[in-house]
């Protein structure tokens, strides 16, 4: 008889706990890695903002330049994340070299960009090249750091098989989502990787916040664009090189360590040398842009102001590299802007812009002008026009006249407050502003702004607007005309001829042919009145003797402008600006 076999339950085998002789390496690595991520993110955003600011200054149209730089850079970050996969097996030396290259390229980007514009006359392709290079290097940072920190948190430190494979998988996922705000889905057993990714992105985003705030409030006003970029590069290379050479030194071979030391020292030497020579470089580049006769060059809180010219000749005034006053023929511009508007009541005059004092000079030539208000955003321009001997002579000491009152404010916001406070409406309003294609001026050429002007203008008042070149930028000019008419004005277009001396005055600083712009062939103006019929062009009975204007001249100027009229264009508004150059 065969007895049934009784199956006994297996006995549980208790494994002895694994004792660790020392805490995991990750507990001592995580904090310095996050600190370096914070610093590198701040530096990376400074490079981005530096390119946007300098490209807007050198080329013009800040909206377009910001769009080009940021879109190209984000695309390049994705490319850099993919390329970083090839460096995962040598993440430490790869990260060190990436940071050294980023510090060198980002730190020198401003100087190279300015040099390309000053000596070659073209910087568009340089902007794109730097955006690509910096974006690729920034995109490689997070995947390499992810590989390093995951390897360091393995049970046996760097180099264990399972930890290395986990690090590779995590680095691949992080590389695909670096700087994009989207994390790849994590599978089972990836809780530590998820926490690491969250920490890295948190440090990255907070660092970007600090860098974004430091650029306009600290670096730009204290150090300027060139020195600020160089100092940022030095901070970048010290942080990246220090992390690899100290925290991850066990992951480096002797040859890799020597390579990184040499690379970091070389980058620091280049940045330090460039910092010491930056003043001489800036002076040489300024002479290449403006010529040898630079008399005054100051950086106000808002823009760069340069005055050129010899001790005997008339000065030229440049604002942010664009010609605003050409001493030899500025009278053509200012006479055409001011005097047609003075044909009527002109006791109270408002000038929007005109910080150089030239428009005020023309208004003050009328004995009947009792009060002149100049609304200028930049106090530095008015200060220079008041104190510089050549400019003060050119504007006939206009700002010393007791009839002139200067208000330093944004004209749009000032008019919003003035509409309910003005005791007497203005008989004449003169808009003496940069070309509408220049982005900061766009809102002062909007339908909303012209509506504010209409509220402070007397029923019989006249409004004169500088609207850019009729011949060179007809679409912009006729958009200003359409915008005035949409705000309830009747308009009369006219222009004044006079080629400015070899420098761009419009929104585009860089000439597409490869050299400095030659300025407009004409200045376009619009004379507007509230409602009714278009105003007649003429001169007041008490008009002073003029060098460039007469009744016949104005009639020819009107016919010349009307010949360029095309199809009806939509008006420009704050929410839909239509000035593209």
């Amino acid at each position: 008889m065969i007895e049934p076999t009784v199956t006994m339950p297996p006995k549980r085998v208790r494994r002895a706990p694994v004792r660790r002789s020392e805490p995991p390496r990750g507990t001592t690595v995580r904090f310095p890695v996050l600190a370096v991520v914070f610093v590198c993110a701040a530096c990376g955003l400074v490079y981005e903002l530096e390119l946007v600011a300098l490209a807007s200054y050198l080329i013009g149209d800040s909206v377009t330049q910001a769009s080009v730089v940021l879109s190209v850079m984000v695309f390049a970050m994705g490319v850099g994340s993919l390329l970083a996969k090839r460096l995962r097996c040598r993440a430490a030396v790869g990260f060190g070299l990436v940071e050294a290259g980023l510090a060198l390229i980002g730190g020198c980007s401003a100087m190279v960009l300015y040099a390309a514009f000053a000596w070659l006359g073209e910087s568009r392709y340089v902007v794109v090249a730097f955006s690509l290079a910096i974006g690729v290097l920034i995109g490689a940072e997070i995947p390499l750091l992810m590989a390093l920190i995951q390897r360091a948190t393995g049970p046996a430190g760097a180099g264990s098989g399972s930890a290395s494979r986990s690090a590779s998988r995590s680095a691949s996922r992080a590389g695909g989502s670096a700087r994009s705000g989207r994390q790849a889905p994590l599978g089972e057993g990836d809780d530590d990787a998820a926490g690491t990714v969250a920490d890295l992105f948190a440090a990255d985003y907070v660092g970007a916040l600090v860098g974004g705030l430091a650029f306009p409030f600290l670096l730009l006003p204290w150090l300027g664009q060139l020195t600020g970029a160089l100092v940022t590069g030095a901070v970048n290379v010290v942080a990246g090189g220090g992390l690899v050479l100290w925290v991850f030194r066990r992951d480096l071979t002797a040859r890799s360590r020597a390579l990184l030391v040499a690379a970091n020292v070389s980058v620091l030497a280049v940045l330090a040398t460039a910092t010491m020579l930056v003043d001489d470089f800036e002076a040489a580049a300024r002479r290449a842009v403006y010529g040898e006769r630079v008399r005054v060059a100051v950086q106000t809180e808002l823009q760069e102001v340069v005055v050129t010219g010899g001790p005997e000749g008339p000065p030229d005034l440049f604002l942010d590299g664009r010609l605003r006053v050409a001493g030899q023929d500025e009278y053509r511009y200012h006479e055409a802007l001011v005097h047609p508007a003075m044909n009527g009541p002109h006791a109270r005059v408002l000038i929007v812009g005109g910080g150089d004092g030239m428009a005020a000079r023309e208004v003050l030539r009328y004995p009947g002008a009792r009060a002149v208000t100049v609304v200028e955003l930049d106090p530095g321009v008015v200060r220079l026009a008041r104190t510089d001997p050549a400019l003060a002579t050119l504007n006939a000491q206009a700002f010393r006249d007791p009839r002139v009152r200067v208000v330093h404010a944004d004209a749009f916001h000032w008019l919003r407050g003035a509409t309910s406070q003005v005791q007497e409406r203005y008989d004449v309003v003169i808009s003496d502003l940069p070309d509408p294609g220049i982005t900061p001026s766009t809102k002062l050429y909007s339908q909303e702004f012209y509506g504010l002007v209409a509220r402070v203008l007397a029923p019989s008042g006249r409004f004169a607007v500088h609207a850019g070149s009729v011949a060179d930028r007809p679409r912009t000019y006729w958009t200003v005309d359409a915008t005035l008419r949409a705000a309830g004005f009747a308009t009369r277009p006219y222009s004044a001829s006079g080629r400015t001396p070899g420098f761009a005055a419009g929104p585009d600083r860089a000439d597409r042919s490869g050299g400095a712009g030659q300025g407009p062939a004409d200045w376009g103006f619009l004379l507007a009145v509230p409602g009714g019929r278009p105003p007649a062009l003429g001169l007041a009975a008490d008009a002073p003797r003029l060098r460039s204007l007469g009744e016949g001249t104005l009639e020819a100027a009107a016919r010349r402008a009307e010949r360029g009229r095309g199809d009806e264009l939509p008006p420009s508004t704050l929410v839909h600006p239509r000035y593209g150059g």
Side-chain angles (χ1 to χ4, degrees), residues 469-559:
S469 172
V470 183
D472 293 349
R473 289 181 292 277
R475 185 174 184 84
T476 295
Y477 177 85
W478 293 110
T479 298
V480 178
D481 177 71
T483 305
L484 279 166
R485 288 187 284 108
F489 288 96
T491 62
R492 175 73 69 185
Y494 65 103
S495 65
S497 61
R499 182 173 292 276
T500 53
F503 210 95
D508 195 352
R509 286 277 312 274
D511 183 15
R512 287 175 176 82
S513 63
Q518 295 300 308
D522 70 309
W523 295 289
F525 305 97
L526 290 159
L527 183 62
V529 295
R533 300 177 61 182
L537 282 176
L539 299 176
D542 61 342
R545 185 176 180 180
L546 305 177
R547 290 189 283 176
S548 64
L549 283 188
E551 296 293 344
T553 306
L554 283 173
E555 293 176 3
R559 290 194 299 268

Side-chain angles (χ1 to χ4, degrees), residues 434-467:
D435 284 29
I438 299 172
T439 305
S441 302
T442 299
K443 72 176 181 180
L444 302 182
Y445 287 88
S446 65
Q447 182 178 340
E448 292 85 349
F449 179 75
Y450 294 148
L452 294 175
V453 171
R455 294 170 64 181
V456 300
L457 189 64
S460 59
R462 292 186 162 209
F463 180 25
V465 179
H466 165 236

Side-chain angles (χ1 to χ4, degrees), residues 294-307:
V294 176
R295 295 180 54 252
V296 180
V298 295
Q299 180 70 45
T300 70
E301 294 182 359
L302 300 172
Q303 58 195 337
E304 182 188 53
V305 183
V306 175
V307 180

